Amino acid sequence: MNADRRIDGRAFAENLRARVTEETARIKAEHGLTPGLAAVLVGEDPASQVYVRNKNKQTIEAGMNSLGETLAVDTSEADLLATVEKLNADPAVHGILVQLPLPDQINPNAVIDAIEPAKDVDGFHLRNVGLLATGRGGMVPCTPLGCEMLLKERLGDLTGLNAVVVGRSNIVGKPMAQLLLGANCTVTIAHSRTADLPAVCREADILIAAVGRAQMIKGDWIKPGATVIDVGINRVPAEEEGKTRLVGDVAFDEAVEHAGAITPVPGGVGPMTIACLLRNTLVAACRQNNIDVPDI
Ligand code: GUN
């Protein structure tokens, strides 16, 4: 019975990437345009290396150009800003992503501010943040966009539903709340300091967990039948000595007994992020070349 409660993000992401691949081929054939994504990695953080490698691989699989750069861990802020300026000016680059976190000598806000907003496929630039907050489009951050797609596919119209977002980061919590507001939900942003967090969560028809604390949200915090989207990716010790495993911010085994639908970790939100990045790159390439944006 629990099987159909699982929201299969991996399958949805594969389907989305297939649609992006198809539209990329069409735009190439009709307009002679190949979308290009530049993912910039500074340093050798192992998790970031894995993410960027996957991004580059999936960019090529979608038929796009992967134009990324890898810079040394001691790269200065000025040199990274010069790289961003070079990519801003390159007409073959339609999307720029600078992988976070950055080494301590670099102020991430200075880098985000330097990215040309039309190429900001992460949606982190103040212009895109402002466009989202005022309901005027722009580039939408990939992880919240993926969560919204999963919700709409499972629930259809979200109008009038109570949504609780646990987490207030600029990458997930805040843009997620804006998207849900735009979809006519009644939105609460909660966080680790919220008073009586379990009671706040129990009001949620839609619960988004994005706090970054392993299995913090318990089964009895979930309103019966609620839809739970778990954005957390936390590495914890596995039962087998010396091994680790990935868990979300939600205690899945308990939560699945209460929820109407829930994303697993891994295989839920995670695969959606890169699929949405490719989607944003395609959208950015079309906008920059005055081509009608495909509806994906
Ligand atoms: N690090 C973790 N998530 C992200 C993301 O969505 N974009 C970038 N640029 N860095 C990240």
Side-chain angles (χ1 to χ4, degrees):
M1 181 176 67
N2 287 345
D4 58 337
R5 291 188 191 175
R6 278 174 188 255
I7 298 175
D8 188 345
R10 197 169 277 143
F12 191 100
E14 261 176 40
N15 187 282
L16 176 57
R17 285 197 285 126
R19 283 181 280 146
V20 170
T21 304
E22 201 178 299
E23 286 299 324
T24 299
R26 185 182 63 75
I27 282 159
K28 210 182 278 191
E30 290 180 8
H31 302 275
L33 172 70
T34 302
L37 172 64
V40 180
L41 173 65
V42 185
E44 293 168 2
D45 175 73
S48 293
Q49 282 178 325
V50 171
Y51 288 141
V52 170
R53 206 179 306 133
N54 284 335
K55 282 170 194 166
N56 293 342
K57 178 168 171 278
Q58 293 184 26
T59 302
I60 291 163
E61 283 170 2
M64 299 182 184
N65 289 328
S66 174
L67 305 155
E69 306 219 4
T70 301
L71 305 176
V73 68
D74 60 354
T75 298
S76 67
E77 185 178 298
D79 282 350
L80 178 56
L81 291 175
T83 299
V84 169
E85 286 305 331
K86 186 185 73 178
L87 296 170
N88 282 344
D90 185 345
V93 173
H94 306 99
I96 301 170
L97 173 152
V98 179
Q99 186 68 27
L100 303 176
L102 288 165
D104 288 346
Q105 74 275 16
I106 300 174
N107 173 2
N109 289 332
V111 177
I112 291 167
D113 290 352
I115 296 172
E116 159 60 40
K119 297 188 177 187
D120 169 36
V121 282
D122 261 330
F124 294 166
H125 189 282
L126 293 179
R127 179 174 169 84
N128 286 316
V129 174
L131 289 170
L132 178 61
T134 49
R136 292 169 55 187
M139 280 288 147
V140 177
C142 302
T143 300
L145 179 61
C147 294
E148 188 195 30
M149 287 180 182
L150 294 177
L151 283 169
K152 287 191 168 166
E153 204 237 356
R154 181 58 72 123
L155 297 173
D157 186 5
L158 309 183
T159 296
L161 296 175
N162 271 338
V164 174
V165 180
V166 189
R168 51 178 159 175
S169 70
N170 292 335
I171 294 182
V172 182
K174 288 177 197 161
M176 186 77 247
Q178 296 291 3
L179 285 174
L180 292 165
L181 208 48
N184 305 315
C185 293
T186 303
V187 181
T188 303
I189 305 180
H191 44 81
S192 55
R193 308 272 187 92
T194 294
D196 203 351
L197 184 58
V200 174
C201 291
R202 280 185 204 111
E203 296 293 316
D205 303 309
I206 294 171
L207 183 62
I208 311 283
V211 262
R213 293 198 191 180
Q215 298 174 313
M216 187 181 100
I217 293 174
K218 307 299 179 201
D220 67 356
W221 298 19
I222 291 164
K223 180 175 174 176
T227 303
V228 179
I229 304 288
D230 190 350
V231 183
I233 300 179
N234 308 287
R235 205 163 268 290
V236 295
E239 276 172 24
E240 199 181 328
E241 182 77 23
K243 295 251 161 112
T244 60
R245 66 188 178 102
L246 291 181
V247 298
D249 291 349
V250 178
F252 183 88
D253 291 348
E254 298 173 14
V256 74
E257 300 299 329
H258 299 258
I262 181 167
T263 57
V265 177
V269 174
M272 291 299 292
T273 300
I274 298 182
C276 288
L277 176 68
L278 300 176
R279 181 246 175 225
N280 279 357
T281 303
L282 178 62
V283 169
C286 290
R287 286 184 185 158
Q288 285 160 44
N289 289 277
N290 295 318
I291 295 169
D292 286 344
V293 175
D295 188 20
I296 51 172

